[in-house]
Amino acid sequence: MSKTVVLVCGTNRVGKTTLVDTLLGLAGEPRAADGGIVECGRMAGLHADKTHTSTKRLAPVISRLFEEHDIVFVEGMYLGTSGVIPLTLLHLAEKQLVVFLYAKVSELAARKRKRPKAYGDFSAIINKQRQVCRAVNRFAEAGIPVISFETGGGNAERIAEQVMGSLCC
């Protein structure tokens, strides 16, 4: 099977980690490994924001994961803000996909009201969403497949099934 890297990007609290965990759960019972990595069958998930913040650190980790896995999901809000980092990562595999998760401003505001301390500065959250949106447009212009999902009220299982369907074709 060809190696596939999937970047899952978006601003704070749009469901990036939930989606990656759901995608891995489709393959069975995920098991945690070192360095923010979760493995399950032929798939692995890497939470880039937590432990690996530069291409120099991410690329070798992804290459190592491809020794045992066919699909690597790389999750992180900052992946979409710099074109160099994601493009380098995407070219580690034969197939690539960018998944952009976003939420309406009203939904982000409602989430912030529920947990004010957990979400940080609201204007920064909105700014990050704009930055990632611009980066996603650059990926599409470069010919990299992009799928986008508005996560307010959507469920992770439905989105995960659509992502997996995109990978199979």
Side-chain angles (χ1 to χ4, degrees):
M1 177 176 239
S2 63
K3 303 298 183 186
T4 304
V5 64
V6 179
L7 296 184
V8 179
C9 54
T11 193
N12 305 56
R13 307 294 179 186
V14 292
K16 299 177 303 292
T17 301
T18 300
L19 177 61
V20 170
D21 290 347
T22 302
L23 286 160
L24 291 169
L26 294 175
E29 187 63 37
R31 61 182 171 77
D34 292 333
I37 297 169
V38 179
E39 299 175 305
C40 190
R42 64 186 183 97
M43 299 188 290
L46 173 62
H47 301 288
D49 288 341
K50 295 181 177 134
T51 56
H52 308 279
T53 56
S54 73
T55 304
K56 289 179 184 175
R57 292 173 62 190
L58 268 176
V61 173
I62 293 171
S63 295
R64 183 185 60 75
L65 288 172
F66 277 138
E67 292 173 8
E68 297 181 29
H69 306 284
D70 296 323
I71 301 172
V72 176
F73 299 99
V74 183
E75 173 260 312
M77 89 178 90
Y78 296 109
L79 290 171
T81 60
S82 170
V84 175
I85 292 173
L87 290 174
T88 301
L89 299 178
L90 287 169
H91 288 95
L92 293 172
E94 293 92 26
K95 291 176 67 177
Q96 306 86 19
L97 178 65
V98 173
V99 178
F100 173 45
L101 302 179
Y102 66 95
K104 295 177 183 174
V105 173
S106 58
E107 178 67 23
L108 291 171
R111 292 174 189 174
K112 172 127 177 86
R113 280 192 299 277
K114 287 181 186 175
R115 293 179 57 203
K117 293 182 181 178
Y119 291 93
D121 178 42
F122 187 68
S123 62
I125 293 169
I126 299 303
N127 189 44
K128 288 175 194 172
Q129 182 157 277
R130 281 190 207 109
Q131 290 173 339
V132 177
C133 187
R134 282 189 215 100
V136 166
N137 286 330
R138 289 193 303 268
F139 296 140
E141 289 169 358
I144 298 166
V146 174
I147 54 176
S148 302
F149 298 96
E150 193 271 309
T151 61
N155 72 42
E157 291 81 15
R158 178 186 54 80
I159 294 172
E161 288 172 6
Q162 289 181 356
V163 169
M164 291 307 291
S166 296
L167 295 175
C168 295
C169 303

